Amino acid sequence: MSAQDPWLSVVIASRNERRALPPLLAQLGSAPDLVREVLVVDGGSDDGSGQLAGLAGAALLRSEPGRGCQLALGAREARGPWLLLLHADVRLPTDWAQRIRAVPQRQGQDQALGAWYFDLGIAGAHPGLRLVELGVALRSRWRQLPYGDQGLLLPLSLYRASGGMRPLPLMEDLDLVQRLRRLAQLRSLGAAVRVDPRRWRQGGIWRTTLDNARLRRQWRRGVPAATLARRYYGGSWNDPGA
């Protein structure tokens, strides 16, 4: 990999993100020396966001809904030696490109495979959101369990060695990270992405946090991802096995 060649393939899972997607694509477009390609995988949008991605110069792929399916498709099409997996509703930190540029050199010095993630920042002033961010930071560092909304940066070779993203309807990020941490150390990039607070605003901060923890616990106990997806998106906790 030449130092002058763009080496990063960015894969974005998007569905009905007309407002969020253009600013993210603008951020990525500010580093042409780093970003080799941006692949937006649209999961059935009806708000025109797919067309916006094409107008912004991104490669547009079509997929059935579900971030597992979408990110798996994008990663299969990626041509760069490194991947950055993102959700469409994030805002990258202002110095995101500098932090990512430094990673291959740091990885070479460590002489070990590694994957990298951003810390989580949630838009909004409520003190409860700061506690959620702290909990995510502790979980990511101590338990090596960052989740998909934080972004994930890793060599394509490591992604493939882990088995890659499975097309699960939910828990696709936890499933991948659990396999990755058996092969490599996961490290923070030292800056936070900013995500939309709509999940916490709609469901309430504490209820949303507890519901998410409950879903993760059920996943570890073997409840199928399809069952968890029905509960998550349908709001029902009364399925057998809950």
Side-chain angles (χ1 to χ4, degrees):
M1 178 174 69
S2 168
Q4 287 75 40
D5 294 334
W7 47 267
L8 183 65
S9 290
V10 183
V11 179
I12 303 172
S14 178
R15 185 168 186 264
N16 289 333
E17 293 288 358
R18 182 181 179 89
R19 293 179 59 188
L21 189 57
L24 174 60
L25 294 177
Q27 285 188 295
L28 295 168
S30 70
D33 63 311
L34 170 64
V35 178
R36 176 172 178 168
E37 59 184 350
V38 178
L39 300 100
V40 174
V41 188
D42 185 80
S45 296
D46 57 13
D47 68 345
S49 50
Q51 289 84 344
L52 286 175
L55 290 172
L60 177 63
L61 305 175
R62 303 285 187 179
S63 168
E64 61 185 280
R67 287 185 176 127
C69 295
Q70 292 170 249
L71 293 172
L73 173 59
R76 285 197 301 271
E77 297 295 322
R79 297 173 297 167
W82 283 73
L83 288 176
L84 176 60
L85 306 178
L86 294 174
H87 296 176
D89 63 344
V90 304
R91 292 291 178 277
L92 298 171
T94 56
D95 61 348
W96 68 274
Q98 296 93 309
R99 291 180 182 275
I100 289 178
R101 286 189 191 101
V103 165
Q105 182 179 358
R106 293 170 63 183
Q107 182 127 308
Q109 291 171 347
D110 292 344
Q111 296 183 338
L113 285 174
W116 304 77
Y117 59 87
F118 289 103
D119 295 325
L120 182 69
I122 307 169
H126 195 288
L129 297 176
R130 305 292 81 79
L131 292 177
V132 173
E133 293 169 352
L134 176 60
V136 170
L138 294 175
R139 183 197 69 213
S140 300
R141 285 167 171 76
W142 291 355
R143 301 184 60 202
Q144 295 276 280
L145 286 174
Y147 294 158
D149 50 6
Q150 296 170 246
L152 186 65
L153 172 72
L154 72 169
L156 182 60
S157 59
L158 176 58
Y159 174 84
R160 290 174 173 167
S162 73
M165 184 76 69
R166 293 202 294 159
L168 299 173
L170 198 69
M171 299 296 166
E172 77 289 336
D173 49 358
L174 178 57
D175 175 69
L176 175 61
V177 166
Q178 286 177 325
R179 285 180 279 119
L180 281 173
R181 67 180 184 177
R182 301 187 192 116
L183 302 174
Q185 184 177 359
L186 285 87
R187 305 177 178 93
S188 171
L189 285 161
V193 292
R194 184 71 55 179
V195 303
D196 193 291
R198 56 192 168 190
R199 283 187 297 153
W200 293 274
R201 184 172 59 242
Q202 292 167 358
I205 294 173
W206 306 123
R207 179 179 175 181
T208 299
T209 301
L210 291 173
D211 284 352
N212 289 342
R214 190 177 183 184
L215 286 166
R216 292 192 296 269
R217 184 171 64 250
Q218 291 171 356
W219 168 253
R220 290 193 295 269
R221 291 177 177 175
V223 178
T227 300
L228 297 177
R230 288 196 299 271
R231 296 172 189 170
Y232 181 75
Y233 293 110
S236 171
W237 295 91
N238 298 316
D239 294 304

